[in-house]
């Protein structure tokens, strides 16, 4: 409270406790000389200083006699009262471990008053105004009762017409050892000189009453012989159940009136009442309504900072306890024991209430300390075990969810699995999973109320409700009181705010994108702790990955189905083309060749029958027919694979191809080919076939009169661009349609576009199809290429 409580001096300066303080000195020269002649009015300065010197001499003589400090108390304060002309004096000894002041000496007035006030115990907390400064403090009774006096003391002083009190903190080597109260009656006020003298006397008295602290080894020996047989709790793992047994055990061994146990919640910085013994059955519930924060209950706050049990002599006569708490629990003499873990962290607190007649001795406090040490170990272990068990359960649930979600591909099954596991570990009056729709303005919610899963999801617009904010901000939200839930519109699906008491919501995130929200809500207060938030965040991440995997699986499955369907169509088309080729060779080429052979045979047989000119004409016609047939074969071979591609490379092959294209279609083609080097055969063939496919889509479109073809190499990519001025083919919606019917019949143009895209993707590239604003379409293909591969 005052001064520095240095560890070097704390023990050696602690005064004896109340069991020693009850002894009253029997006689001394100073007492006899002062019994009936204390002045009640100012004297001259000369007379006053004579008394001061006389008093100091007597005090020095008492110190030299090495009498017991408690036996000297009456004589010391009598000398102090005589020195400054006080009508009454009270000496209080300080116990810094219990943070109390015990009255060990009273001088003045009658013996009944002295007996009434002797042994009074007050808290250092109530004297902090006086003890916060090393100088004396003067009080006037007309301004109210002085600080640091009990109600009983104030009443007795008022009855004896005490009008002024001078309180002097007794300090020795920076440590508080006690307090000296000097009082005058009938309106006599202390002068500044008297205050100065009293402070000097206080320093002398502080030295006189101090003695080494009680022998700690002796106390430990006493405690060791005490009946402190801690019970075994091997079969109890729940921390609250464990704490209840501990509180009952401490109540039994200490003989308390009642005992209350609190667990410290570090996150909320609040004491949670969980155990009671000897009190009213509804005491814990009453404590919950008081919100036991340290700042609201100063006694708990002071106990936190105390290294020993904190003693409150009278809970109703101090401001250390809120009046309603002291009255509701009927508290009297209270000892507060702070429970700390192995690392010094606060884990709980035990409030032990004794009757006013119960003696709180040093030995008894030693027993309290030992019991508290055992309770601290057991409670910390129970809390750690509970935390480990809860973490293990959460990890098991997360693993089970992950395993089960990996095998599912539809959203309804995903929701049922997540809901089933989450409700097994936390309260879920309402549970919902909302997924943002592609438009970004609505969310689709699958939900359950009172463990009943809704048959159909609902689509709601995203607005100012809490779940929408979680999606928009990617920040988890937790509400612990109904007012927050009602103001935040936590469950927009139905009006449930009047019944909900706790709620939690976390975003469902995939990569850097929030795709939805996961929420659990309860009709019980305080249902969700930080570990519940951590669990839901992890579940949300797993659910997001599962949803993304399900969507990708649907896309891949649809694409595979479509590729299979298209492959059947391509194979069918290839068979048709092969049949056409066979028919063309069989019906045209072979027939032409057979006709030419027959014509040559006839001409050879008629050599002597026809003129040379006539034979030459027949042979010329056969030659023309063969030449025409050779040209047809060259065209067919060119369509299959031009020899120019292998001999001269991609540049020449493309120019030859577009030359044929212009001849066959009448469509003008503008070429821009910028290829610095030749590619390998595989890459050149790949690009050539893609160009064929792309131009083939243009060949079959209407109103195309001009195309612009560009091919160039950019870094490690080959870019092919083909623009035309014909009727547009849309924005490529058919290329992005992965959710439509898989076995629907495609138009010839759609088939050609999808085949073109598949060919580009199989080559590791991409295809983009856009509709130009001024008419026509633009096809761009990007194919990766690294030289030498």
């Amino acid at each position: 409270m005052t001064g520095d409580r240095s560890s070097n001096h704390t023990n050696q300066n602690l005064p004896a406790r109340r069991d020693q303080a009850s002894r009253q000195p029997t006689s001394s020269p100073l007492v006899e000389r002062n019994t009936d002649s204390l002045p009640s009015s100012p004297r001259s300065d000369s007379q006053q200083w004579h008394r001061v010197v006389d008093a100091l001499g007597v005090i020095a003589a008492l110190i030299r006699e090495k009498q017991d400090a408690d036996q000297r108390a009456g004589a010391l304060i009598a000398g102090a009262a005589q020195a400054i002309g006080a009508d009454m004096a009270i000496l209080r000894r300080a116990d810094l471990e219990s943070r109390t002041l015990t009255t060990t000496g009273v001088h003045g007035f009658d013996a009944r008053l002295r007996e009434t006030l002797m042994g009074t115990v007050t808290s250092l907390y109530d004297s902090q105004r006086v003890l916060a400064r090393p100088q004396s403090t003067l009080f006037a009774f007309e301004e109210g009762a002085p600080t640091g006096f009990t109600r009983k003391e104030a009443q007795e002083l008022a009855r004896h017409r005490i009008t002024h009190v001078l309180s002097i903190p007794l300090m020795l080597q920076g440590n508080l050892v006690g307090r000296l109260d000097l009082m005058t009656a009938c309106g006599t006020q202390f002068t500044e000189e008297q205050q100065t003298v009293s402070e000097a006397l206080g320093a002398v008295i502080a030295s006189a009453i101090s003695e080494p602290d009680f022998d700690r080894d002796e106390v430990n020996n006493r405690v060791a012989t005490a009946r402190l047989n801690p019970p075994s709790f091997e079969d109890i793992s729940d921390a609250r159940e464990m704490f209840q047994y501990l509180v009952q055990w401490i109540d039994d061994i200490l003989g308390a009136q009642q005992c209350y146990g609190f667990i410290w919640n570090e996150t909320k910085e609040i004491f949670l009442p969980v155990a009671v013994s000897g009190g009213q059955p509804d005491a814990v519930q009453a404590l919950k309504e008081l919100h036991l924060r340290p700042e609201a209950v100063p006694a708990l706050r002071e106990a936190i900072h105390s290294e020993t049990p904190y003693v409150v002599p009278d809970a109703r006569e101090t401001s250390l306890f809120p009046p309603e708490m002291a009255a509701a629990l009927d508290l009297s003499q209270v000892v507060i024991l702070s429970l700390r873990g192995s690392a010094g962290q606060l884990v709980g607190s035990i409030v032990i209430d004794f009757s006013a007649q119960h003696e709180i001795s040093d030995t008894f406090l030693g027993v309290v300390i030992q019991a508290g040490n055992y309770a601290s170990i057991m409670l910390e272990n129970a809390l750690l075990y509970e935390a480990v068990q809860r973490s293990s359960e959460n990890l098991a649930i997360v693993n089970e969810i992950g395993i089960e979600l990996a095998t599912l591909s539809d959203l309804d099954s995903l929701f049922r699995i997540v809901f089933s596991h989450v409700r097994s570990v936390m309260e879920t009056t309402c549970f919902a999973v909302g997924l943002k729709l592609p438009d970004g303005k609505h969310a689709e919610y699958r939900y359950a109320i009172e463990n009943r899963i809704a048959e159909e999801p609902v689509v709601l617009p995203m607005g100012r409700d809490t779940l929408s904010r979680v999606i928009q901000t990617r920040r988890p939200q937790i509400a612990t009181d109904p007012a927050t839930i009602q103001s935040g519109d936590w469950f927009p699906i139905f009006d449930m705010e009047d019944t909900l008491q706790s709620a939690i919501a976390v975003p469902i995130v995939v990569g850097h994108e929030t795709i939805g929200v996961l929420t659990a809500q309860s009709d019980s207060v305080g249902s969700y702790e930080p570990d519940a938030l951590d669990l839901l965040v992890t579940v949300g991440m797993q659910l997001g990955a599962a949803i993304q995997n399900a969507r990708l699986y649907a896309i891949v499955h649809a694409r595979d189905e479509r590729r299979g369907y298209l492959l059947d169509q391509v194979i069918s088309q290839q068979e048709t083309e092969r049949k056409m080729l066979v028919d063309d060779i069989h019906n045209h080429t072979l027939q032409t060749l057979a006709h030419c052979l027959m014509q040559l045979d006839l001409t050879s047989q008629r050599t002597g029958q026809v003129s040379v000119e006539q034979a030459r004409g027949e042979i010329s016609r056969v030659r023309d027919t063969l030449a025409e047939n050779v040209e047809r074969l060259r065209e067919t071979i060119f369509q299959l694979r031009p020899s120019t591609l292998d001999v001269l490379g991609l540049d020449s092959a493309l120019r030859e191809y577009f030359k044929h294209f212009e001849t066959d279609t009448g469509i003008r083609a503008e070429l821009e080919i910028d290829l610095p080097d030749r590619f390998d055969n595989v890459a050149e063939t790949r690009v050539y076939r893609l160009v064929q496919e792309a131009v083939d889509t243009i060949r079959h479109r209407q109103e195309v009169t001009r195309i612009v073809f560009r091919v160039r190499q950019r870094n490690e990519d080959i870019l092919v661009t083909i623009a035309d001025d014909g009727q547009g083919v849309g924005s490529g919606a058919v290329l992005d349609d992965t959710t439509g019917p898989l076995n629907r019949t495609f138009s010839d143009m759609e088939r050609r576009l999808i085949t073109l895209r598949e060919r580009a993707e199989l080559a590791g590239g991409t295809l983009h199809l856009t509709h130009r604003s001024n008419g026509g379409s633009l096809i761009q293909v990007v194919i990766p290429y690294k030289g030498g591969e």
Side-chain angles (χ1 to χ4, degrees):
M1 286 295 180
T2 63
D4 296 329
R5 294 183 57 192
S6 170
S7 59
N8 295 331
H9 304 292
T10 299
N11 291 337
Q12 69 181 13
N13 295 322
L14 287 176
R17 294 192 50 81
R18 189 171 51 185
D19 54 346
Q20 298 173 326
S22 59
R23 297 190 295 271
Q24 183 77 2
T26 55
S27 64
S28 72
L30 195 57
V31 173
E32 293 175 359
R33 190 188 332 170
N34 193 46
T35 301
D36 299 317
S37 61
L38 282 177
S40 59
S41 60
R43 308 290 206 281
S44 67
D45 291 343
S46 176
Q47 292 175 323
Q48 177 175 325
W49 285 109
H50 278 295
R51 286 196 305 273
V52 171
V53 172
D54 191 14
L56 289 175
V58 174
I59 291 173
L62 290 173
I63 295 175
R64 286 194 298 272
E65 292 176 6
K66 301 185 181 294
Q67 296 180 6
D68 181 83
D70 289 323
Q71 294 178 355
R72 289 176 283 176
L76 292 173
I77 60 174
Q82 174 186 342
I84 66 169
D87 296 314
M88 185 175 180
I90 297 177
L91 178 64
R92 307 175 193 265
R93 297 280 300 276
D95 187 336
L96 300 184
E97 290 189 349
S98 63
R99 293 175 178 257
T100 57
L101 290 168
T102 302
T103 300
T104 59
V106 179
H107 173 78
F109 295 107
D110 52 63
R112 190 198 67 81
L113 175 62
R114 292 194 294 271
E115 293 176 358
T116 300
L117 299 184
M118 279 294 295
T120 301
V121 181
T122 60
S123 170
L124 289 179
Y125 178 85
D126 294 329
S127 301
Q128 60 182 343
R129 178 181 169 187
V130 174
L131 304 178
R133 45 179 292 178
Q135 295 83 15
S136 59
T137 303
L138 181 62
F139 297 96
F141 251 85
E142 61 183 13
E143 298 175 358
T147 298
F149 285 78
T150 66
R151 187 181 306 171
K152 181 176 66 174
E153 287 179 322
Q155 291 174 349
E156 289 294 335
L157 296 181
R159 190 170 64 85
H160 287 77
R161 298 183 180 181
I162 296 296
T163 56
H164 292 85
V165 177
L166 184 63
S167 293
I168 304 100
L170 305 181
M171 309 293 294
L172 182 65
Q173 297 180 354
N175 292 313
L176 180 71
V177 297
R179 192 183 89 199
L180 175 64
D181 297 318
L182 301 171
M183 291 156 274
T184 60
C186 303
T188 305
Q189 185 173 349
F190 294 105
T191 64
E192 291 185 6
E193 291 79 5
Q194 288 174 312
Q195 288 183 254
T196 303
V197 170
S198 67
E199 292 169 5
L201 290 172
V204 175
I205 293 174
S207 177
I209 67 173
S210 298
E211 64 179 11
D213 192 13
F214 60 86
D215 189 349
R216 177 65 60 184
D217 293 334
E218 180 183 351
V219 172
N220 290 337
N221 292 333
R222 295 178 184 177
V223 173
T225 59
R227 296 186 60 188
L228 201 158
N229 299 313
S232 175
F233 301 113
E234 295 180 358
D235 299 330
I236 302 175
S237 58
D238 181 80
R240 285 162 173 77
E241 184 180 359
M242 167 78 73
F243 206 16
Q244 179 62 44
Y245 279 101
L246 286 170
V247 167
Q248 291 176 351
W249 170 68
I250 290 176
D251 186 20
D252 291 340
I253 67 169
L254 297 182
Q257 294 185 137
Q258 52 190 340
C259 189
Y260 300 94
F262 305 88
I263 291 179
W264 175 248
N265 187 311
E266 182 66 29
T267 304
K268 297 180 180 179
E269 295 186 346
I270 192 172
F271 283 103
L272 302 177
V274 296
V276 60
S277 176
Q280 298 297 325
D282 58 348
V284 171
Q285 184 60 37
L287 288 173
K288 288 182 179 180
E289 298 176 357
L290 293 177
H291 301 291
L292 295 180
R293 299 184 181 277
E295 59 269 21
V297 185
L300 292 177
R301 184 187 66 221
E302 294 297 312
I304 290 175
H305 301 292
S306 175
E307 297 179 357
T308 57
Y310 187 74
V311 180
V312 180
D314 191 342
R316 299 199 181 191
E317 292 286 344
T318 177
S319 57
L320 286 167
F321 285 98
E324 62 272 17
M325 180 178 178
L329 302 182
D330 194 21
L331 298 178
S332 181
Q333 185 178 200
V334 174
V335 175
I336 303 177
L337 192 61
S338 293
L339 307 181
R340 297 191 175 275
S342 56
Q345 78 281 9
L346 184 66
V347 296
S349 184
I350 298 178
V351 175
I352 313 169
D353 183 44
F354 298 96
S355 65
Q357 292 75 31
H358 194 287
E359 182 179 1
I360 309 296
S361 65
D362 295 327
T363 303
F364 181 78
L365 286 180
V367 177
V368 173
I369 292 173
Q370 293 296 327
N373 291 339
Y374 178 77
S376 298
I377 295 172
M378 298 302 295
L379 179 60
E380 182 188 24
N381 289 340
L383 291 173
L384 288 175
Y385 178 81
E386 194 174 77
V388 171
Q389 188 177 38
R390 186 165 53 247
S391 298
S392 300
E393 292 175 354
N394 291 346
L395 286 175
I397 289 174
V398 168
N399 289 334
E400 291 177 9
I401 291 176
I403 293 172
E404 295 186 32
L405 292 185
T407 62
L408 302 176
S409 58
D410 66 288
L411 296 179
D412 292 331
S413 299
L414 293 175
F415 175 79
R416 285 193 295 270
I417 290 297
V418 171
F419 172 59
S420 173
H421 284 289
V422 170
R423 75 174 180 176
S424 68
V425 294
M426 64 178 67
E427 295 187 28
T428 53
T429 304
C430 298
F431 184 81
V433 172
L435 298 179
K436 187 170 60 175
L437 296 181
D439 63 4
K441 298 180 180 179
H442 295 79
E444 183 182 64
Y445 288 94
R446 288 168 175 79
Y447 63 96
I449 298 178
E450 299 290 350
N451 296 331
R452 293 193 300 271
I453 298 177
E455 295 182 0
E456 297 292 335
V458 297
V459 176
L460 299 175
M462 293 176 59
R464 297 180 178 272
D465 59 277
T466 300
L467 301 186
S468 296
R469 288 202 307 272
V470 170
I471 296 176
Q472 294 161 358
T473 62
R474 299 182 61 181
R475 295 179 179 175
Q477 297 285 334
I478 187 168
T480 57
D481 60 278
T484 302
I485 296 175
Q486 293 175 8
S487 62
D489 191 13
W490 271 79
F491 202 69
I493 304 171
F494 289 105
D495 186 10
M496 300 286 294
E497 279 75 12
D498 292 340
T499 61
L500 298 176
Q501 305 291 316
S502 305
I504 188 172
V506 300
I508 301 175
V509 180
V510 177
H512 298 288
E513 178 187 5
T514 302
I515 64 172
V517 62
L518 174 67
T519 180
Q521 303 176 20
S522 170
D523 55 6
S524 301
V525 177
S527 297
Y528 306 119
E529 295 290 338
D531 58 339
L533 179 62
D534 295 338
L535 174 62
L536 276 193
V537 168
T538 304
V539 171
M541 294 172 60
Q542 285 199 328
L543 181 58
I547 292 172
Q548 187 72 357
N549 291 338
R551 289 176 175 176
L552 292 175
Y553 175 80
I555 293 174
V556 171
H557 182 69
R559 181 165 293 177
D560 288 343
E561 291 279 346
R562 185 158 296 164
R563 281 181 176 177
Y565 180 72
L566 290 173
L567 181 60
D568 292 339
Q569 289 186 330
V570 170
I571 293 174
S572 176
Q573 183 183 11
Q574 287 177 344
E575 290 298 323
T576 301
E577 291 176 348
R578 288 174 180 174
K579 186 177 183 302
M580 291 176 60
L581 179 61
V582 170
D583 290 344
D584 182 70
I585 293 175
H586 180 272
N587 296 333
H588 190 277
T589 303
L590 289 179
Q591 292 296 329
T592 300
L593 291 175
H595 173 74
C596 290
L597 285 174
M598 186 179 64
Q599 187 64 41
L600 289 173
D601 288 342
L602 289 175
T603 303
S604 175
Q605 293 173 5
R606 295 167 56 197
T607 303
Q609 300 175 6
V610 297
S611 63
V612 175
E613 290 297 330
Q614 187 178 356
R616 185 179 294 170
E618 290 178 0
I619 294 173
S620 179
R621 285 192 296 274
V622 171
R623 178 188 177 283
D624 292 340
T625 301
L626 290 173
E628 181 182 348
N629 204 50
V630 169
E631 188 62 30
R632 285 175 57 82
L633 287 175
R634 284 178 177 173
E635 183 66 26
T636 301
I637 292 172
F638 179 79
Q639 293 295 331
L640 295 176
R641 180 178 179 86
S643 60
T644 312
L645 183 62
D646 298 319
V647 178
L648 300 177
L650 183 60
D651 190 329
S652 300
L654 289 175
R655 294 184 186 278
E656 184 181 12
Y657 173 78
F658 278 103
K659 182 179 180 181
H660 281 273
F661 175 78
E662 287 182 322
T663 302
D664 294 341
T665 63
I667 300 174
R668 183 163 56 91
E670 298 179 8
L671 306 182
E672 295 182 14
I673 302 176
D674 182 16
L675 300 175
D677 301 309
R678 284 199 61 174
F679 305 128
D680 59 74
N681 289 336
V682 175
E684 290 187 335
T685 302
R686 189 176 290 163
V687 174
Y688 185 83
R689 294 305 183 194
L690 279 168
V691 172
Q692 275 187 313
E693 292 281 356
V695 173
D696 193 45
T697 62
I698 298 174
R699 186 193 300 270
H700 293 81
R701 298 229 314 278
Q702 298 178 358
E703 299 181 6
V704 177
T705 62
R706 172 176 168 269
I707 66 172
V708 178
F709 173 79
R710 297 184 181 90
V711 58
R712 62 187 184 277
Q713 184 178 7
R714 184 181 66 185
N715 298 328
E716 295 181 349
D717 293 326
I718 302 173
L719 277 65
V720 178
T721 305
I722 305 175
D724 66 79
D725 61 352
Q727 291 184 354
V729 293
S731 60
V734 67
L735 299 178
D736 300 326
D737 182 14
T738 59
T739 59
L742 301 178
N743 58 350
R744 72 182 179 96
T745 302
F746 296 100
S747 66
D748 182 67
M749 180 58 64
E750 289 176 336
R751 180 183 58 78
R752 293 177 186 278
L753 290 172
I754 294 175
T755 302
L756 179 61
R757 182 197 64 184
E758 297 296 336
R759 185 181 290 276
E761 291 181 352
L762 288 173
T766 58
L767 180 141
H768 301 282
L769 173 64
T770 57
H771 180 68
R772 301 170 65 191
S773 59
N774 58 348
S777 299
L778 177 68
I779 298 175
Q780 185 179 64
V781 182
V782 181
I783 302 175
Y785 174 74
K786 293 183 179 180
E789 293 187 357

